[in-house]
Amino acid sequence: MRKNLNPIGAERLVYEIREIVNIGKQIESFGKKIHWENIGDPINKGEKIPQWMKDILKEEIDNDLSWGYSPTRGSKGAIDFILKNNNKTNALKLDEEDILFFNGLGDAIATIYSRMASNARLLLPSPCYTAHSIGESDHAGEKPILYHLDPENNWQPDIEEIRQKLENIESICGILLINPDNPTGTVFLRETIQKIVGLAKEFGLFIISDEIYQNVVFGETPYTPLIEVIEDVPAIGMKGLSKEIPWPGSRCAWLEFYNRTNDPEFEFFVQRLLDTKMSQVCATTLPQLALPKILGHSEYPALLESRKEILREKVDFIYDELSKIDEVIVSKPQGALYFTVVFKKESLNEWQFIEIDPPEAKALIEEQVKNQPFDKKFCYYLLGAKGICVVPLSSFSSDLMGFRMTLLETDMDIFRQVVKEISVGIRAFFSSTL
Ligand SMILES: Cc1ncc(COP(=O)(O)O)c(C=O)c1O
């Protein structure tokens, strides 16, 4: 090439959630069945779409308007529905200019970071959902700046740590919450969010709250969306259809801007997000037209409830199975679609492994695990030995060792069997030494 296409210092983005799939496919070719516990796609795991939802889409296909562009901000029907629901329940009222649709939150996340000045940083949670950590650190050309969620305190953050980071790192201009969180499943306590809002006010920051799982909350912790406690701080709420309908293939999500006009810098940022979307014309039309009919359908609340019931049952089962193992730390997720297991640091050593059969699979995995973090080794051994594909926790910008599995398997017998096999795999890993 006459010119370098890639900026100096750019590293390849490694998206471990999908990266491990390549190895899984090779293991599969040796005749082993693979249980894919790595991706949060309910549809791929067999979740069935109710007939009434399909009927709504069929109707929309007959509506020629669903084949055209929609207004850049979003279709009128979808925006009116969102505003009506919000303004009925929340003290902070939104208007049409506070909503902006995207092709999935992945698109919104990438757009937000690409529009921020490279020396303006967001303080991210650790562990962190990779689209945020990759997007934010890529825009800055630096490692992410992180606050830690504590696995021994139900994954709640330490407010003092956040304060210290804000005092010491001038470039931080905002704080990210993922609530409910991926990968930990934590739901932030109301007073924790209030304290973070207080810090944002004190230091002149904005907040982003990724609430894509807001209707997948099944634990005991009451859920607080950011809008309920944001007061007058500028903020962005992130919402979408991927997880709650669930319709990840819709590529339909939206941003809500809170206190948009309270700070000129923030207002200009929001305007630039709109300008960016305008240059791309609009987000996908069909899901926006279907949105009010699906989310407003009389059977929708019951659907959400029945999904929560199943998730609770799965969480209880995994917790009972894995909390008996001395070498791990587990707590019950309160929301989202994942269960995260942390390995106690003092229990790890470089000689641990799991027996793998056949020999070709063993050779492939042994090649992969050379010089890798302990948890990546565990995940590859589990894949080779048990045909179960989970994601190493260290790949979520975390210095904790462990893994994340999904709660999505629809066949309860298979689900229980997979959890039991994971339990056997963990025990084998910790009792082995080469
Ligand atoms: C916390 C979080 N935010 C955003 C996304 C991306 O959602 P979308 O399908 O709307 O791009 C995911 C997907 O797993 C997620 O877990």
Side-chain angles (χ1 to χ4, degrees), residues 104-106 109 129 132 178 182 210 212-213 242-243 251 253 338:
L105 268 194
I109 291 168
Y129 172 59
H132 285 288
I178 305 176
N182 175 7
D210 180 335
I212 196 158
Y213 298 100
S242 288
K243 310 294 173 171
R251 310 315 299 131
Y338 315 96

Side-chain angles (χ1 to χ4, degrees), residues 166-303:
L166 301 183
E167 279 170 359
N168 296 331
I169 309 174
E170 278 265 323
S171 56
I172 298 174
C173 68
I175 305 172
L176 173 73
L177 298 172
I178 305 176
N179 185 31
D181 185 54
N182 175 7
T184 68
T186 197
V187 163
F188 286 91
L189 300 174
R190 192 177 185 86
E191 46 287 19
T192 304
I193 310 175
Q194 282 168 323
K195 284 182 188 154
I196 290 174
V197 169
L199 287 174
K201 204 184 270 205
E202 185 182 334
F203 287 86
L205 313 175
F206 79 111
I207 298 180
I208 297 180
S209 187
D210 180 335
E211 299 179 349
I212 196 158
Y213 298 100
Q214 78 164 357
N215 284 315
V216 193
V217 177
F218 47 79
E220 284 158 12
T221 310
Y223 182 65
T224 304
L226 182 64
I227 192 169
E228 282 185 16
V229 292
I230 191 63
E231 300 178 16
D232 59 356
V233 173
I236 300 176
M238 295 182 153
K239 317 274 175 167
L241 301 185
S242 288
K243 310 294 173 171
E244 62 166 90
I245 282 189
W247 191 10
S250 67
R251 310 315 299 131
C252 182
W254 68 95
L255 298 182
E256 296 177 0
F257 304 113
Y258 308 143
N259 302 309
R260 178 174 44 86
T261 55
N262 283 11
D263 179 291
E265 191 68 19
F266 184 71
E267 191 175 7
F268 183 42
F269 184 67
V270 171
Q271 180 60 48
R272 289 176 54 245
L273 294 178
L274 176 66
D275 293 345
T276 307
K277 201 73 229 167
M278 233 173 234
S279 72
Q280 302 164 356
V281 185
C282 66
T284 41
T285 301
L286 177 70
Q288 292 181 53
L289 296 184
L291 182 153
K293 296 185 181 167
I294 294 178
L295 301 191
H297 196 276
S298 59
E299 292 193 44
Y300 190 57
L303 176 73

Side-chain angles (χ1 to χ4, degrees), residues 65-88:
L65 291 178
S66 75
W67 295 70
Y69 290 130
S70 41
T72 297
R73 208 175 269 297
S75 85
K76 183 166 169 18
I79 292 180
D80 286 351
F81 179 85
I82 292 165
L83 295 179
K84 193 166 144 230
N85 272 340
N86 178 76
N87 295 348
K88 189 165 65 186

